[in-house]
């Protein structure tokens, strides 16, 4: 009978990253709040807002300023996840103007992995942790025209690689490849209601909603403080339905509950 039940549950869950009942505390879905580029507005606005709501976010650091290291260390002490976004944030030249030495076309997979390895050293010096996640700069996974994600997987330098795309299947609980973790960014001017709708989509499907933010109330690609606060308030009010955790914890939970 137990075997039959296991088969039925397996069929019901399909290839989901986790069935709804498997999220902590019976939550229907998981939400990860992620923030890219080590921006001042994240330290000034996002982290205090998260702390006030009792949430922890994931911050993908690149081009870290020496003056900000004590604040990032304090954020890690508070339970926020610090993760790898390379040192120089190499994007395709056509997507983002930069020093020609630091565009994706100037790298090889080997040289980019070396940079990721060196960024891990900095992250460990800040947060004391031996393992870190990763987010592809500009969502691009090619270095010198060659996709590097399988080489990154084989290197074991990072625990996961977050991209910049979310599909309906992700929100419905599709099994997530650690080297192709979904996320969704939002345009400037996005409203709190629009952010909440994304979380509701995951709640309805039993999957994972990974929010991708840059500036919060400042810097670039910014979400306003009121919209960000409105999302946090909704998540807090619906904490029985939606589990909010750093992305590494979401990935670890899913891996432990296949």
């Amino acid at each position: 009978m137990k075997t039959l039940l296991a088969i039925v549950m397996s069929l019901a869950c399909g290839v989901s990253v986790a069935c709804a009942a498997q999220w902590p505390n019976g939550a229907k879905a998981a939400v990860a709040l992620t923030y890219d580029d080590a921006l001042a507005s994240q330290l000034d606005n996002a982290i205090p807002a998260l702390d006030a709501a009792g949430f922890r976010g994931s911050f993908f650091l690149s081009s870290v300023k020496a003056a900000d290291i004590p604040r990032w260390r304090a954020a890690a002490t508070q339970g926020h996840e610090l993760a790898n976004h390379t040192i120089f944030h190499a994007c395709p030249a056509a997507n983002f103007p930069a020093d020609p030495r630091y565009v994706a076309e100037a790298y090889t997979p080997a040289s980019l992995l070396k940079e990721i390895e060196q960024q891990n050293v900095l992250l460990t010096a800040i947060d004391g942790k031996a393992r870190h996640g990763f987010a592809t700069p500009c969502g691009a996974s090619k270095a010198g025209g060659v996709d590097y994600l399988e080489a990154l997987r084989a290197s074991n330098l990072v625990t996961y690689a977050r991209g910049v795309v979310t599909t309906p299947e992700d929100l419905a609980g599709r099994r997530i490849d650690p080297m192709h973790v979904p996320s969704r960014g939002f345009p400037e001017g996005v409203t709190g209601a629009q952010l909440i709708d994304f979380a509701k989509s995951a709640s309805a499907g039993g999957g994972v909603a990974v929010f991708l933010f840059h500036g919060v109330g400042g810097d670039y690609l910014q979400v306003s403080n009121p919209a960000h606060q409105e999302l946090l308030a909704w998540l807090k009010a619906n904490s029985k339905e939606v589990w909010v955790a750093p992305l590494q914890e979401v990935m670890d939970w899913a891996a432990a509950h296949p």
Side-chain angles (χ1 to χ4, degrees):
M1 186 67 183
K2 289 183 178 179
T3 301
L4 178 60
L5 179 60
I7 293 172
V8 171
M9 288 300 294
S10 176
L11 291 173
C13 295
V15 292
S16 297
V17 63
C19 296
Q22 291 180 318
W23 294 115
N25 305 317
K28 293 180 179 179
V31 164
L33 303 170
T34 75
Y35 305 79
D36 284 10
D37 299 353
L39 302 179
S41 65
Q42 296 166 6
L43 291 164
D44 294 340
N45 301 324
I47 289 176
L50 289 166
D51 289 343
F55 295 140
R56 292 164 297 133
S58 299
F59 294 85
F60 293 88
L61 305 190
S62 61
S63 303
V64 179
K65 297 179 177 62
D68 290 338
I69 287 178
R71 299 175 73 188
W72 288 119
R73 182 171 289 124
T77 300
Q78 289 291 102
H80 299 288
E81 176 188 2
L82 304 187
N84 196 316
H85 205 34
T86 74
I87 297 174
F88 298 112
H89 198 281
C91 291
N95 293 3
F96 192 81
D99 186 315
R101 295 173 297 173
Y102 304 123
V103 296
E105 291 83 354
Y107 284 76
T108 64
S111 64
L112 187 59
L113 263 61
K114 184 64 177 178
E115 184 173 313
I116 292 168
E117 182 180 21
Q118 288 302 115
Q119 182 72 345
N120 277 344
V121 173
L122 173 62
L123 292 170
T124 298
I126 295 173
D127 65 12
K129 296 183 178 180
R131 60 199 294 260
H132 296 93
F134 172 74
T136 52
C138 295
S141 62
K142 290 185 178 180
V146 179
D147 195 289
Y148 62 82
L149 288 181
E150 288 308 312
L152 184 60
R153 188 198 303 272
S155 73
N156 291 317
L157 286 172
V158 300
T159 54
Y160 64 80
R162 194 217 68 204
V164 298
V165 176
T166 291
T167 69
E169 290 80 8
D170 299 321
L171 298 174
R174 190 188 67 183
R175 183 179 298 279
I176 296 176
D177 180 342
M179 287 295 108
H180 297 275
V181 178
S183 75
R184 179 178 170 185
F186 299 86
E188 291 196 0
V190 65
T191 65
Q194 289 169 325
L195 296 174
I196 291 167
D197 281 344
F198 182 48
K200 286 181 176 178
S201 296
S203 183
V208 182
V210 181
F211 286 80
L212 166 55
F213 296 116
H214 289 83
V216 179
D219 296 309
Y220 50 83
L221 297 175
Q222 65 173 287
V223 58
S224 70
N225 279 322
H228 187 253
Q229 290 278 13
E230 189 175 345
L231 170 65
L232 298 186
W234 185 89
L235 292 171
K236 189 173 182 67
N238 292 272
S239 58
K240 291 183 179 180
E241 300 284 320
V242 180
W243 175 50
V244 181
L247 185 51
Q248 184 67 68
E249 290 189 23
V250 172
M251 296 299 294
D252 288 346
W253 182 272
H257 300 80

